[in-house]
Amino acid sequence: MEELLPLFPEQASSLAASVDALYFFVIGVSVFFSVLIAGSLIYFFVRYRRREASQVGSPVHGSVVLEIAWTVIPLAITMVMFGWGAKVFFSLSRPPAGATEFYVVAKQWMWKFQHPEGRREINELHVPLGVPIKLTMTSEDVIHSFFVPAFRVKADVLPGRYSTVWFAATRPGRYHLFCAEYCGAEHSRMGGWVTVMEPSEYERWLAGESPRRTLVATGEEIFSQRACNTCHRPDTEVRGPSLIGLVGKQVRLTGGRKLIADETYIRESILNPGAKVVAGYEPIMPTFQGQLSEEELVQLLSYIKSLGKSAGGESAR
Ligand code: CUA
């Protein structure tokens, strides 16, 4: 099937079938009405064509019933597409709670992956079968786009902020990974493979390399190396706000503005700390612009995220 019709890659994730069902519904409706309308046009052209020069058409006075029918029926069909599309969109864009977090850094022209256990890969990503996996992605340079057709996931990967995709692979195998946004001379070669393995096999694969520190542990080390912990301490909030339970929480800024502390906000606060200062604090934090790679930022981020989980979400203001 795949060789004959490369338009339809195999379905290898939990949401692939629902994406395809919606796609075929939209295509089916479009083909049906295109054929119906074009067919009627051609039929009427032929059936009611002028046969003699003296023939004149009789006037048409319209029909309210017809007007209502061709307004209401398309409206109903498009509303079905809208509702169905929204449902599929939300299930694609919201990773299930407890999804395993991997991190992706794109650059011209490669994909760099970090497993939560600390293992790193380039242009290859190994994942366990059946486990929901959330990828948090950013770019070192220009806009790229992470695309795995077999999983039906695609999302732009942007410099300066984080975007996410999630999937749960449903069959073992190797699946093509593409960059789907023109990003320079080697764009067409910026690709790789996602290898889906049985969980036990994946564990063996992970263990095959000399033991590494987890992402969280590496992040914790950067946190103390860079002396973040001298101000962001769990026991006192005198110099900087506590970071415990911060991610996903609402933060009030100097000036009264409020926002949800997401990953992009935390990244910005590390690189440009003066941009959005938490209410009640002085803008005394030094910038780390140019001092941390995207990989290190991701490690810090995964450490800061882990703070909420272990310490039970104490107030971080
Ligand atoms: Cu990266 Cu195209």
Side-chain angles (χ1 to χ4, degrees), residues 109 143-144 179-183 187 190:
W109 288 275
I143 301 176
H144 304 272
C179 177
E181 178 71 50
Y182 181 70
C183 56
H187 156 72
M190 182 172 168

Side-chain angles (χ1 to χ4, degrees), residues 48-315:
Y48 300 106
R49 70 186 185 280
R50 190 155 76 159
R51 285 157 223 253
E52 287 161 28
S54 62
Q55 282 184 317
V56 177
S58 49
V60 175
H61 298 289
S63 156
V64 175
V65 176
L66 208 55
E67 291 272 358
I68 290 173
W70 71 42
T71 305
V72 169
I73 293 172
L75 178 71
I77 294 172
T78 47
M79 283 299 116
V80 168
M81 287 177 183
F82 174 77
W84 189 353
K87 185 168 169 284
V88 172
F89 176 79
F90 284 127
S91 56
L92 273 171
S93 56
R94 289 183 183 157
T100 311
E101 281 204 54
F102 285 54
Y103 290 86
V104 183
V105 176
K107 63 176 271 193
Q108 288 169 320
W109 288 275
M110 64 175 77
W111 295 101
K112 298 187 281 188
F113 299 99
Q114 297 190 68
H115 292 245
E117 295 82 2
R119 184 139 183 192
R120 295 190 190 190
E121 300 185 83
I122 288 178
N123 293 343
E124 286 277 345
L125 173 62
H126 289 72
V127 295
L129 180 72
V131 176
I133 287 171
K134 175 186 171 192
L135 303 179
T136 299
M137 312 185 289
T138 190
S139 166
E140 276 182 27
D141 36 45
V142 299
I143 301 176
H144 304 272
S145 181
F146 180 89
F147 181 31
V148 183
F151 298 162
R152 309 294 190 271
V153 295
K154 180 157 106 180
D156 278 6
V157 178
L158 307 152
R161 66 167 87 166
Y162 294 103
S163 53
T164 59
V165 291
W166 83 273
F167 58 85
T170 49
R171 53 171 94 160
R174 268 166 79 72
Y175 304 102
H176 228 304
L177 148 70
F178 297 91
C179 177
E181 178 71 50
Y182 181 70
C183 56
E186 300 281 308
H187 156 72
S188 63
R189 295 212 294 205
M190 182 172 168
W193 295 90
V194 182
T195 304
V196 177
M197 305 164 109
E198 295 288 348
S200 56
E201 202 192 333
Y202 175 74
E203 289 305 322
R204 273 202 301 281
W205 177 84
L206 268 185
E209 215 184 45
S210 53
R212 290 174 166 272
R213 244 164 331 161
T214 63
L215 270 192
V216 170
T218 315
E220 186 172 12
E221 194 190 301
I222 299 170
F223 197 77
S224 59
Q225 265 175 9
R226 300 284 174 168
C228 311
N229 53 359
T230 53
C231 295
H232 296 287
R233 294 157 54 133
D235 55 335
T236 157
E237 299 194 357
V238 175
R239 295 221 273 173
S242 160
L243 304 178
I244 293 169
L246 176 61
V247 179
K249 179 174 275 189
Q250 195 184 62
V251 171
R252 204 158 59 82
L253 304 178
T254 310
R257 200 154 80 83
K258 288 177 181 168
L259 56 77
I260 299 292
D262 61 4
E263 294 148 333
T264 298
Y265 165 71
I266 289 167
R267 184 184 181 283
E268 181 186 29
S269 296
I270 295 170
L271 299 178
N272 184 11
K276 288 165 188 154
V277 178
V278 175
Y281 289 93
E282 293 300 314
I284 54 171
M285 179 169 155
T287 173
F288 288 87
Q289 187 85 50
Q291 300 177 43
L292 295 164
S293 69
E294 290 296 341
E295 271 96 346
E296 289 173 316
L297 284 166
V298 151
Q299 289 155 355
L300 265 180
L301 186 64
S302 79
Y303 170 64
I304 291 169
K305 280 185 185 172
S306 77
L307 291 173
K309 287 162 195 160
S310 51
E314 193 152 306
S315 167

